[in-house]
Amino acid sequence: MKHTISRLANCRAIHILVLLTALLSTAIIPALAQSQNLPDIGGNGGLLSDQLENEIGQQVMSSIRRSTRTIQDPLVYDYLGNITYRLVPSAPLENRDLQLVIIDNSAINAFAVPGGIVGVNGGLFLNAATEQQFASVLAHELAHLSQHHFARRMEQQETTTPLTVAGMIAGIILSAVTQSDIGLAAIAGTQAMTMQNMLAYSRAHEKEADRVGMEILASAGLDPRGMPEMFEIMMRRNRLQGNRLPEYLSTHPLTQSRVADTWNRASQYSGQRVADSQEYHLMRHRLQVHYAKSPELAIRTFESELEKDDPDHLEALRYGLAVAYQENREYDRAEQVLRELLDGNPGRITFQVTLAEVLIDHENYDSARELLKQALARNPENYPISYTLAMAELGDGNGATAADLLEELARQHPEQELLWLKLAEAEGMARNIVGVHRARAEYYLLMGDLTSAQRQLRQAQDILPASSTERQVISERLGEISERMQARNR
């Protein structure tokens, strides 16, 4: 199913723009007022301090969570984390603690903003035919972060007012959050330069990100040729869409000369073609089912591909068919295909987790539990396995067991709001009211709703005896929230 930004979301986006402008103006104006000349970019003494970058990053993530549908499928999210952190050691990043987000939109898009936020659309999986092409977009975004392009873009505005700079930041962030042109319009309306100069400056940054991104790919053992190949896909999409510029190209200008330049650069890297991991194509087909107009159409598409004489990625296509069967509630057929795949790949986590999901959907909790516990014994702390086991326990009414699993997952992945929601549900099933309030508080904090988080923790605090250790922990958390609220109101 395809998701687009509705009129309501656009109204909400405008509201977020106002809030972001006010917030970032408050944070930036005092810093800029200390000196008429902006400092050089680089390190802790740069235009954007580490603290300010982190604040921007937190605000971006809160805005995304509030205004945009995201994909939190543990298998897809885990794959994105694995491929990103394959690239990270080769990227010249000062801060390697990244937050990843997958926007539930079938268009090609990706972005990176200060605070280590890297996002992709689900549509990037659909349009990147190979893992090398997909990784090239991630490498490009990591290059933007490593080269401080966000801050350097601000530096060019040193003759403008601080409010203009704040408005530009809000606009850039908003276009990443909403995947619409509202943010870009805000940038155009607040800059003291022509759009032509703006694009020329952006192209210079794009060229630098291309160069650094290819170096990251080569160093990580991936194929730099994936970048010009992906650019050609984008150019074809651009021609097909006519006057409607693809989302990615609205923020990442692309010309034929730039494509040619990246081909020339890629040819300078020696080496054989790099084979894709099977996991990429499993995730790609999983998302093809997600974005299909109907499960029946997805089934027909995969069956048609499998009927070809020599289809590529045979197992991945069969996996896609199984996921389509699952989505169409043909659980017996999905289970049969997945068990056949597991016979040939006994330890593949994706097949195990997906089979367990089918068993859970079919309310066969005992079989799902047994399968997942065996898988977890071989892969301790694995995110998709642990999460799916928690869902099996939750479905079977074992709230306390599910809560134990989800609490550990939330500790490991505190930025995943879905975990806190599920933890609150599990704690409620286990009749742990304090646990419900604490989990809801963490969810509200991720959403940027400090008042609701504070209220939840106070309700939990009221239940506990004064001498309780847990009450002390909650009091400390309340103190942290109060400090954040005071900082926001300065």
Side-chain angles (χ1 to χ4, degrees):
M1 179 167 45
K2 297 183 178 180
H3 303 285
T4 57
I5 301 299
S6 65
R7 291 182 181 177
L8 177 60
N10 281 337
C11 292
R12 187 184 302 168
I14 294 171
H15 178 61
I16 293 169
L17 174 59
V18 174
L19 292 177
L20 280 172
T21 303
L23 172 69
L24 292 169
S25 297
T26 303
I28 294 169
I29 290 174
L32 295 181
Q34 295 175 4
S35 173
Q36 292 181 348
N37 296 319
L38 295 178
D40 292 333
I41 302 300
N44 293 328
L47 182 60
L48 290 179
S49 68
D50 291 343
Q51 180 181 356
L52 182 54
E53 285 203 355
N54 289 333
E55 289 174 358
I56 292 172
Q58 287 179 9
Q59 186 64 29
V60 170
M61 287 304 298
S62 294
S63 299
I64 288 173
R65 294 179 182 115
R66 289 195 304 267
S67 66
T68 307
R69 187 188 296 271
T70 62
I71 294 173
Q72 298 190 57
D73 182 325
L75 285 169
V76 179
Y77 185 83
D78 195 56
Y79 170 79
L80 180 63
N82 289 336
I83 188 65
T84 301
Y85 280 97
R86 180 176 174 180
L87 296 167
V88 162
S90 302
L93 291 166
E94 295 171 8
N95 175 19
R96 297 189 173 187
D97 184 16
L98 305 177
Q99 286 194 57
L100 307 177
V101 61
I102 309 171
I103 305 298
D104 192 357
N105 190 302
S106 61
I108 301 175
N109 211 349
F111 59 90
V113 293
I117 309 302
V118 177
V120 302
N121 275 16
L124 185 59
F125 285 89
L126 303 186
N127 289 280
T130 71
E131 186 173 40
Q132 315 308 310
Q133 295 166 7
F134 182 88
S136 77
V137 177
L138 288 173
H140 183 93
E141 297 307 322
L142 292 176
H144 277 308
L145 282 181
S146 71
Q147 302 306 302
H148 300 284
H149 285 160
F150 189 93
R152 286 163 61 186
R153 194 174 189 180
M154 285 178 57
E155 187 182 39
Q156 195 180 35
Q157 304 299 302
E158 61 183 357
T159 58
T160 66
T161 66
L163 184 59
T164 298
V165 175
M168 185 179 67
I169 292 177
I172 294 171
I173 292 172
L174 190 61
S175 40
V177 168
T178 63
Q179 305 298 298
S180 73
D181 60 358
I182 294 174
L184 296 173
I187 299 169
T190 57
Q191 287 186 103
M193 63 167 63
T194 65
M195 184 55 68
Q196 183 178 356
N197 289 338
M198 176 70 174
L199 290 175
Y201 185 68
S202 296
R203 287 177 184 136
H205 280 177
E206 291 301 288
K207 187 173 183 179
E208 185 174 38
D210 294 345
R211 175 183 58 79
V212 175
M214 278 199 251
E215 292 172 358
I216 293 171
L217 287 169
S219 178
L222 293 163
D223 195 338
R225 286 169 287 196
M227 187 172 290
E229 288 173 357
M230 192 68 216
F231 286 165
E232 288 190 339
I233 290 172
M234 293 177 189
M235 292 288 279
R236 286 198 296 273
R237 292 286 178 192
N238 189 22
R239 287 193 291 269
L240 287 173
Q241 293 184 15
N243 293 328
R244 182 169 161 265
L245 195 67
E247 302 280 2
Y248 192 77
L249 299 189
S250 67
T251 53
H252 297 71
L254 183 61
T255 62
Q256 195 63 54
S257 62
R258 182 177 161 204
V259 176
D261 184 59
T262 52
W263 270 119
N264 290 334
R265 286 188 179 277
S267 66
Q268 296 172 15
Y269 291 90
S270 59
Q272 299 294 320
R273 282 285 185 179
V274 179
D276 290 348
S277 72
Q278 185 185 49
E279 197 65 21
Y280 174 72
H281 293 281
L282 296 179
M283 294 305 101
R284 187 168 185 252
H285 293 327
R286 188 175 176 89
L287 286 175
Q288 283 176 340
V289 175
H290 174 71
Y291 286 112
K293 292 182 178 179
S294 69
E296 294 86 354
L297 179 59
I299 290 170
R300 290 198 298 272
T301 299
F302 285 115
E303 286 178 341
S304 176
E305 288 296 316
L306 285 165
E307 287 173 0
K308 294 180 180 178
D309 292 338
D310 187 21
D312 293 331
H313 312 295
L314 176 62
E315 287 188 339
L317 287 168
R318 294 185 67 205
Y319 173 75
L321 179 61
V323 175
Y325 283 146
Q326 177 191 6
E327 189 70 15
N328 205 38
R329 300 185 179 184
E330 298 181 50
Y331 300 128
D332 290 339
R333 299 181 76 177
E335 181 178 346
Q336 179 183 348
V337 174
L338 288 164
R339 289 196 183 278
E340 289 172 357
L341 288 170
L342 273 171
D343 286 342
N345 303 267
R348 182 163 286 280
I349 292 171
T350 296
F351 296 160
Q352 293 170 323
V353 168
T354 308
L355 175 56
E357 289 176 337
V358 172
L359 293 170
I360 292 169
D361 288 345
H362 215 179
E363 299 184 0
N364 189 349
Y365 301 114
D366 288 339
S367 295
R369 185 185 296 109
E370 180 182 359
L371 172 65
L372 291 166
K373 283 187 172 181
Q374 291 176 0
L376 196 60
R378 291 189 295 270
N379 306 276
E381 298 186 347
N382 179 270
Y383 179 31
I385 297 173
S386 298
Y387 177 84
T388 309
L389 179 57
M391 293 305 98
E393 299 291 3
L394 200 59
D396 205 20
N398 300 322
T401 305
D404 288 341
L405 289 163
L406 289 163
E407 187 174 16
E408 179 61 22
L409 281 175
R411 184 187 63 79
Q412 296 169 2
H413 306 274
E415 75 288 349
Q416 291 291 93
E417 68 270 22
L418 176 65
L419 294 177
W420 296 109
L421 281 177
K422 290 296 183 181
L423 178 56
E425 181 183 348
E427 296 286 23
M429 184 179 290
R431 301 183 184 279
N432 180 4
I433 304 305
V434 171
V436 172
H437 288 309
R438 292 186 67 181
R440 285 178 178 171
E442 297 302 323
Y443 169 78
Y444 284 127
L445 283 173
L446 290 176
M447 303 300 285
D449 188 349
L450 303 185
T451 301
S452 294
Q454 187 181 62
R455 182 172 59 251
Q456 290 291 329
L457 290 179
R458 283 176 176 166
Q459 289 174 346
Q461 194 178 49
D462 291 342
I463 298 172
L464 295 166
S467 59
S468 166
T469 302
E470 188 173 9
R471 184 184 175 109
Q472 182 179 350
V473 172
I474 291 173
S475 296
E476 291 174 357
R477 192 61 165 153
L478 278 168
E480 294 170 5
I481 293 174
S482 295
E483 289 178 3
R484 287 175 61 177
M485 294 176 81
Q486 291 171 8
R488 178 178 288 186
N489 293 329
R490 288 192 189 113

